[in-house]
Amino acid sequence: MPLLKRSHFPLLDPPKDLNPEEKVFQVRFTKEIFRDYQEYLNRVNLYRERVWTCKVSGKSNLTYEEALVSEHHAADKAQQLSRELIAPVLHLIQYRLELNGRKDGSLSACKILKVIIGSDNTNMYEVGWIGQDNAVTNTSVVQADDLVISKKARASRSMLNIFIRESTSQNSPWIIHTNLAKQYGISTEPPRDLLNGQGLPKLRGIENGTTDDGRKKLKKGEPIDDLLLKPTADDSGLSKKPPLSTDFRVPVDSVGDLLMVWDFCMSYGRILCLSPFSLSDLENAVCHKESNLVLLVEIHAALIRLLIKDGGGYFMFLQNKRRKLKVTLVTWAEYLCDFLEMTSKEEFSSSLSTVRRGHYGLVHTAVKLQILRELVDEAVTTSAVRQSIAEKIDQQQAIAASKRELARNKKEEKNADMEGVTEKEMSQTDAVKNVNLTLNGQVVEKERKEKKNINANKMGEGKMHLECLGTEMDKQSIQSSSLGKDRSYNRYWFFGDEGRLFVESADFKVWGYYSTKEELDALIGSLNVKGIRERALKQQLDKFYNTISNALEKRMKDNSQKILLEEVVLRRSSRVLSQPKDNPSMSFLKYVNKWKGN
């Protein structure tokens, strides 16, 4: 049954002494019966609120009916589990319960070891507190209210599917990426029976360029998996891939969180009532030790207000705590603590007490970004953001449809113009008729030329409109999406307002970037189009080359001017022995939210 605030919600029993002829009110989907209409209405309104969670899939922000439907769908999927796995899985989960418990004012991971039933039929629980190596460090007895059954599963089936797809270069059979095999000490040599073709599919490219099914040969020039390409004489024309810059202020494995949070704030700033700021300002701000930095306070407050306005799980959590639903630049940290308490994540437990004491600035930079990402993950599920995403999708589809329509009209007008106007035969025997026909011919010729000019103008306007639509569509498609992957499955990202081409490693842990046009050219020249991934990546980089190169050059120019200004400010401040407050690198300290309250 659906959960309310992640807890079991019991249905009401039918009223006692119910007369078969008595008129009552019944909830359609729970079959609950009410004598009083107001009580019935209150219960129905509760079921219509988006505060319910699917017990099976864990999806939240649903109505009761939506949660019921989700449970039915999830139950159907659960039946697809291989029969050979059912017994081992059930054996593993039988009477196993890992959850979070309150310990020394914060939430920590624990597991129930024993249920203690008191004389008054109240339950106490002996729990073992779990350390970093998943071993029980010590035990204690707690009350039921001190336990929070909200710890998320460490790995779901969908998560495993995604992990497998991202960790392998091909299936039938599975082949994991070379770098991952090396990292975890896994052999990359195929089994002997696989190479001998004993009833198993052949590896793509191992024998005579065969594909996954081992039967069809690759056509000439057809890309194959990049890792299966062998060095050839043609490779001498490929340039060397330029080294990546990695001079981030935040930990290198936190760059993904930094980019994700910044891109979300830039994309949905109007919904958040949060005016734009640069990526460098956000990076400098999260590394700063001040606890009430305006930029970070505004970001947290904007995200929290959005969650409250949505009326979802966080809103209900605050209502249960009887909080006043007014987030200010003074009270924002209290609401952030409520959010961290609601998430019940172990990695936030130590930071929760730090923020409560008013020392947010002392929280580790990586944890600050994890908290912001958790807020963004919740914000993405709000109705306002989902509606905005749906509108963008509709806009992209409308642009694509208009583009197709204009292309079709252009083709039809071109065909009609080529047909021309049929010339009339002139008679040589009748002079008057000859003159009339000549005059008519001039009129017809004039009309034909006018029509041609009109069609040419229409085609010109249509071409301009087509180019505008194409540019708009390209602008939307490039934003916040990966351009592709290289041979080693590194992902390439470009954010139009940032002016750098970011590269994410295949294991999601390491980030770097390119910042010059020369590096972009060298990168493109290093891609081998014989491989399926680098071919697709090169096509995307070629398609958006002007946009990316212009952004790189603009950033280089802006940085040069910033360096000159910093030198001027530094010389001036050294003369007067004052702190260089006008230094461009300190611009994050001057942030003002110009869209606040809009």
Side-chain angles (χ1 to χ4, degrees):
M1 299 296 289
L3 304 177
L4 177 63
K5 294 181 294 184
R6 303 180 182 180
S7 301
H8 174 67
F9 183 81
L11 299 181
L12 295 176
D13 295 327
K16 296 180 180 180
D17 305 325
L18 191 62
N19 190 326
E21 298 181 358
E22 185 177 353
K23 292 183 178 180
V24 293
F25 305 96
Q26 185 180 49
V27 180
R28 171 176 48 81
F29 41 84
T30 65
K31 306 305 179 185
E32 291 173 296
I33 296 175
F34 297 84
R35 284 193 173 105
D36 183 74
Y37 177 72
Q38 190 58 46
E39 292 181 0
Y40 161 79
L41 196 60
N42 292 340
R43 181 57 63 102
V44 171
N45 287 335
L46 175 61
Y47 288 145
R48 289 174 178 170
E49 292 182 15
R50 293 192 171 276
V51 295
W52 299 91
T53 301
C54 171
K55 182 180 179 181
V56 182
S57 68
K59 291 182 180 178
S60 59
N61 296 327
L62 305 175
T63 66
Y64 190 93
E65 274 195 281
E66 289 173 344
L68 278 177
V69 173
S70 177
E71 287 183 359
H72 288 312
H73 290 166
D76 291 340
K77 288 184 179 180
Q79 299 304 316
Q80 300 173 9
L81 184 66
S82 174
R83 298 183 65 181
E84 292 80 4
L85 295 177
I86 292 178
V89 170
L90 295 178
H91 176 76
L92 286 172
I93 66 173
Q94 179 72 325
Y95 295 116
R96 300 292 179 92
L97 181 57
E98 293 188 5
L99 58 161
N100 290 325
R102 301 186 191 280
K103 180 184 179 183
D104 299 330
S106 62
L107 292 174
S108 301
C110 64
K111 65 166 59 176
I112 294 178
L113 303 177
K114 186 187 298 183
V115 180
I116 305 171
I117 302 178
S119 57
D120 54 353
N121 291 326
T122 58
N123 291 344
M124 300 284 286
Y125 299 91
E126 181 181 349
V127 299
W129 301 102
I130 301 175
Q132 293 183 350
D133 56 353
N134 291 326
V136 175
T137 56
N138 59 345
T139 64
S140 61
V141 177
V142 299
Q143 298 178 352
D145 293 341
D146 293 327
L147 297 176
V148 181
I149 308 176
S150 59
K151 185 176 180 181
K152 295 182 179 179
R154 294 177 182 173
S156 64
R157 183 175 179 179
S158 60
M159 186 186 300
L160 288 174
N161 285 336
I162 294 172
F163 173 76
I164 291 173
R165 286 195 296 270
E166 292 293 339
S167 302
T168 54
S169 59
Q170 71 169 75
N171 55 12
S172 300
W174 297 108
I175 300 180
I176 65 174
H177 302 324
T178 304
N179 60 329
L180 291 178
K182 183 178 180 180
Q183 180 180 351
Y184 294 102
I186 301 172
S187 174
T188 56
E189 290 295 325
R192 183 170 300 176
D193 56 352
L194 195 65
L195 290 174
N196 293 337
Q198 297 179 6
L200 292 173
K202 297 179 182 179
L203 295 174
R204 173 184 288 184
I206 284 185
E207 288 190 15
N208 302 322
T210 54
T211 58
D212 288 344
D213 59 7
R215 297 189 298 271
K216 179 184 175 183
K217 290 186 178 181
L218 291 172
K219 297 178 181 178
K220 186 176 181 180
E222 182 179 353
I224 63 172
D225 190 279
D226 303 64
L227 296 177
L228 297 175
L229 288 173
K230 296 181 179 180
T232 64
D234 298 338
D235 295 345
S236 60
L238 298 177
S239 61
K240 186 178 180 180
K241 187 172 293 186
L244 291 168
S245 299
T246 57
D247 53 341
F248 301 105
R249 289 199 63 192
V250 302
V252 70
D253 56 351
S254 297
V255 175
D257 289 343
L258 176 74
L259 287 169
M260 185 262 202
V261 171
W262 176 76
D263 183 57
F264 180 84
C265 292
M266 295 301 96
S267 301
Y268 301 99
R270 287 296 182 183
I271 295 176
L272 294 168
C273 297
L274 187 67
S275 58
F277 48 88
S278 70
L279 178 64
S280 298
D281 280 351
L282 177 59
E283 186 176 16
N284 289 328
V286 294
C287 294
H288 206 266
K289 297 303 180 183
E290 185 178 333
S291 294
N292 287 292
L293 207 60
V294 174
L295 176 57
L296 293 183
V297 171
E298 290 283 6
I299 294 173
H300 284 88
L303 292 168
I304 291 171
R305 290 190 192 104
L306 178 64
L307 298 182
I308 293 175
K309 186 178 179 180
D310 188 62
Y314 179 61
F315 172 79
M316 296 298 297
F317 187 84
L318 294 179
Q319 279 199 327
N320 292 335
K321 298 194 72 172
R322 303 183 186 279
R323 285 276 192 199
K324 293 182 179 179
L325 304 180
K326 187 176 181 180
V327 184
T328 67
L329 302 186
V330 177
T331 63
W332 70 277
E334 299 175 14
Y335 292 89
L336 178 59
C337 290
D338 292 334
F339 177 80
L340 297 178
E341 186 178 340
M342 183 193 74
T343 58
S344 303
K345 287 200 169 184
E346 184 179 357
E347 56 265 35
F348 297 151
S349 57
S350 60
S351 302
L352 177 58
S353 58
T354 304
V355 178
R356 274 208 177 100
R357 293 195 300 270
H359 301 307
Y360 169 83
L362 300 181
V363 175
H364 192 275
T365 299
V367 180
K368 287 180 183 177
L369 288 170
Q370 289 172 8
I371 292 172
L372 281 169
R373 174 156 191 164
E374 190 73 20
L375 282 166
V376 168
D377 286 341
E378 288 291 329
V380 169
T381 66
T382 61
S383 57
V385 174
R386 285 186 296 183
Q387 182 179 352
S388 178
I389 293 173
E391 290 173 355
K392 288 184 178 181
I393 293 174
D394 291 341
Q395 186 178 1
Q396 283 187 342
Q397 292 175 344
I399 291 173
S402 298
K403 196 173 178 181
R404 290 193 299 269
E405 181 67 21
L406 281 172
R408 185 164 53 250
N409 291 341
K410 180 181 177 182
K411 184 177 179 180
E412 291 176 356
E413 290 173 358
K414 185 176 180 180
N415 292 337
D417 186 61
M418 290 178 64
E419 292 177 1
V421 180
T422 305
E423 295 183 1
K424 295 184 178 181
E425 241 180 288
M426 296 178 61
S427 172
Q428 299 294 330
T429 57
D430 191 341
V432 177
K433 186 175 181 180
N434 187 26
V435 173
N436 289 339
L437 286 174
T438 301
L439 292 174
N440 288 338
Q442 292 175 352
V443 173
V444 169
E445 176 65 18
K446 182 179 179 181
E447 291 178 351
R448 188 184 73 82
K449 289 182 178 179
E450 290 177 351
K451 182 177 181 181
K452 184 175 181 179
N453 291 335
I454 291 172
N455 288 339
N457 291 334
K458 286 183 177 179
M459 289 175 64
E461 293 174 358
K463 184 178 180 181
M464 291 177 60
H465 193 190
L466 194 65
E467 290 175 352
C468 291
L469 289 175
T471 302
E472 181 62 26
M473 194 170 181
D474 290 343
K475 181 180 177 182
Q476 292 195 21
S477 64
I478 195 176
Q479 189 175 15
S480 308
S481 60
S482 171
L483 292 170
K485 304 176 185 177
D486 62 16
R487 181 179 187 274
S488 302
Y489 286 86
N490 300 314
R491 294 170 185 78
Y492 290 74
W493 301 83
F494 176 74
F495 304 90
D497 295 330
E498 168 51 26
R500 281 182 282 183
L501 182 63
F502 290 91
V503 184
E504 178 188 20
S505 65
D507 58 2
F508 313 103
K509 294 181 179 179
V510 181
W511 285 80
Y513 66 87
Y514 296 122
S515 58
T516 68
K517 183 175 178 293
E518 292 73 22
E519 289 174 335
L520 174 63
D521 293 337
L523 169 66
I524 294 175
S526 71
L527 299 177
N528 192 339
V529 295
K530 296 177 183 177
I532 190 169
R533 285 188 297 283
E534 294 202 347
R535 182 187 184 93
L537 175 60
K538 186 177 185 302
Q539 289 174 347
Q540 287 295 94
L541 291 174
D542 287 341
K543 180 179 180 180
F544 298 112
Y545 179 81
N546 290 335
T547 301
I548 297 174
S549 61
N550 289 340
L552 297 179
E553 291 185 328
K554 181 180 182 299
R555 183 176 183 273
M556 285 289 293
K557 183 179 179 181
D558 292 344
N559 283 347
S560 298
Q561 293 177 348
K562 187 183 296 184
I563 292 173
L564 291 175
L565 182 58
E566 287 176 356
E567 292 176 352
V568 171
V569 172
L570 188 61
R571 287 197 298 268
R572 184 191 309 153
S573 62
S574 61
R575 289 198 300 269
V576 298
L577 300 178
S578 63
Q579 183 69 20
K581 295 181 180 179
D582 294 330
N583 194 317
S585 63
M586 307 296 285
S587 59
F588 69 97
L589 296 173
K590 297 182 177 181
Y591 175 78
V592 176
N593 186 4
K594 299 177 182 179
W595 293 355
K596 188 174 182 179
N598 291 350

